Amino acid sequence: MERKELTEKLKNIIKPYTTNTEAYENLTEETDFINDLKINSANLVDIVLDIEEQFDVVIDNTDMERMLDVKTAVEIIETKLAAK
């Protein structure tokens, strides 16, 4: 799966959880889930669960703690998909 396609799927996953629509519309790899999109930590867990379901991967606690921005999330998903 291409990085752009993966980023679009991730964007669709995080849409229901973001409260900053302007930051969401201008989402880049540098976009931070907490600081930019105003997603709280409980919703971050929901996002991780949605990612696991959407991509059929398992994200461990170490990766979950690192998954704070779009770039890191995409890299983790790519790594998990490549390992399948």
Side-chain angles (χ1 to χ4, degrees):
M1 183 178 302
E2 287 186 29
R3 194 174 185 96
K4 184 176 169 95
E5 181 185 354
L6 208 147
T7 304
E8 280 304 309
K9 284 189 174 191
L10 178 63
K11 190 174 178 180
N12 288 333
I13 290 170
I14 63 178
K15 185 175 185 174
Y17 303 104
T18 186
T19 57
N20 185 339
T21 52
E22 183 180 337
Y24 175 80
E25 295 300 323
N26 299 308
L27 186 121
T28 68
E29 286 201 344
E30 284 71 45
T31 301
D32 184 280
F33 293 142
I34 296 170
N35 296 325
D36 297 329
L37 298 176
K38 308 298 182 211
I39 297 172
N40 66 38
S41 56
N43 284 343
L44 275 178
V45 173
D46 292 331
I47 289 170
V48 170
L49 294 173
D50 290 349
I51 289 170
E52 288 180 328
E53 186 177 317
Q54 172 84 36
F55 295 101
D56 191 30
V57 295
V58 175
I59 297 172
D60 57 37
N61 288 342
T62 305
D63 285 335
M64 189 167 23
E65 290 169 7
R66 291 177 37 231
M67 200 179 285
L68 299 175
D69 58 51
V70 173
K71 183 178 182 180
T72 306
V74 169
E75 289 170 354
I76 291 169
I77 295 166
E78 283 178 329
T79 303
K80 299 294 181 184
L81 290 174
K84 284 176 69 171

